Amino acid sequence: GAGVSQSPSNKVTEKGKDVELRCDPISGHTALYWYRQSLGQGLEFLIYFQGNSAPDKSGLPSDRFSAERTGGSVSTLTIQRTQQEDSAVYLCASSLVLGQVYGYTFGSGTRLTVV
Amino acid sequence: AQKVTQAQTEISVVEKEDVTLDCVYETRDTTYYLFWYKQPPSGELVFLIRRNSFDEQNEISGRYSWNFQKSTSSFNFTITASQVVDSAVYFCALSEASGGGNKLTFGTGTQLKVEL
């Protein structure tokens, strides 16, 4: 597609429920990144994919968070047993191979609210 | 470990004033990349500039200019003759060439408000 697409744009969920957030990167971009933006924490790195593998998962805050990428394209970030502190905007970015060389393109994010 | 500091949380200026947003970074790598992004109220991060650590030339793009100084580990951003449309949160970010997993480390952002 023309840009990085994220869905849903907004999600309200009850505490304890599982949620899935989707990222559709720019066609041909092999690298995909998830970030979280929350009040007081700024923009935090969560996980990075190169193709379908995740060389760096160091930012995932707990084992309730997981992500996968299939076909070198769409990625899904799953949060199990959501907590109120998970409320944030989840941003996805993609890049052509290496983001630092080719640049990162960000989506508009999914605003997650846990009530 | 890489770190980016944006000490200015919020800046308010009157339209047509010049404003400089500060960014100080920390890294052990000799090869790294620095970025500035703009986040308007719509929420999307808009890319403004990328510099690598070997290119210390200052850059000007219209009303925007960037001053990269390795000696002080700073990469400051100046908007000349600010406009209301410049109101946004601006993020400075760093990516190390090695060991950083190709990820961006962001500063906490500076909220710029430009008023009439």
Side-chain angles (χ1 to χ4, degrees):
Chain A
V4 177
S5 178
Q6 292 188 247
S7 60
S9 54
N10 278 287
K11 175 74 177 178
V12 179
T13 190
E14 291 181 355
K15 180 181 171 182
K17 295 249 172 108
D18 298 352
V19 294
E20 285 188 352
L21 312 180
R22 176 187 168 108
C23 173
D24 204 339
I26 292 174
S27 178
H29 280 196
T30 59
L32 186 148
Y33 311 80
W34 284 98
Y35 289 84
R36 178 169 74 173
Q37 185 173 21
S38 51
L39 283 174
Q41 296 296 324
L43 274 152
E44 305 170 276
F45 166 78
L46 297 178
I47 188 170
Y48 152 61
F49 287 92
Q50 187 61 254
N52 291 335
S53 62
D56 190 350
K57 309 177 185 180
S58 62
L60 293 177
S62 75
D63 58 8
R64 296 186 296 104
F65 287 72
S66 63
E68 65 174 12
R69 189 178 184 195
T70 55
S73 181
V74 172
S75 176
T76 302
L77 177 68
T78 301
I79 309 173
Q80 296 178 309
R81 304 180 303 281
T82 51
Q83 303 294 313
Q84 287 186 327
E85 61 262 27
D86 300 333
S87 296
V89 176
Y90 290 82
L91 290 164
C92 176
S94 71
S95 67
L96 187 63
V97 186
L98 289 175
Q100 57 198 200
V101 174
Y102 294 95
Y104 308 80
T105 303
F106 283 83
S108 299
T110 293
R111 181 175 297 277
L112 175 66
T113 304
V114 181
V115 297
Chain B
Q2 51 190 8
K3 184 180 178 183
V4 176
T5 301
Q6 294 179 257
Q8 304 151 309
T9 306
E10 186 173 320
I11 301 176
S12 289
V13 298
V14 176
E15 203 177 37
K16 297 183 184 172
E17 284 185 14
D18 298 347
V19 59
T20 295
L21 309 182
D22 298 333
C23 173
V24 174
Y25 61 92
E26 293 176 31
T27 177
R28 292 191 203 133
D29 272 24
T30 55
T31 303
Y32 52 89
Y33 300 80
L34 294 163
F35 298 78
W36 275 95
Y37 282 87
K38 174 182 179 179
Q39 189 176 44
S42 60
E44 194 160 334
L45 280 168
V46 177
F47 168 80
L48 295 177
I49 190 171
R50 176 183 71 248
R51 300 315 297 263
N52 71 55
S53 52
F54 299 109
D55 183 1
E56 284 192 76
Q57 258 193 328
N58 291 329
E59 182 157 337
I60 298 174
S61 176
R63 296 184 297 107
Y64 295 170
S65 62
W66 290 269
N67 182 3
F68 178 25
Q69 293 198 337
K70 285 177 78 170
S71 60
T72 55
S73 297
S74 65
F75 186 43
N76 297 338
F77 172 33
T78 297
I79 302 174
T80 303
S82 59
Q83 299 176 2
V84 172
V85 293
D86 296 327
S87 296
V89 181
Y90 290 86
F91 290 95
C92 180
L94 166 71
S95 181
E96 293 174 334
S98 66
N102 196 21
K103 65 189 179 194
L104 285 168
T105 295
F106 287 88
T108 49
T110 297
Q111 169 89 56
L112 175 64
K113 294 184 178 178
V114 182
E115 298 163 334
L116 292 170

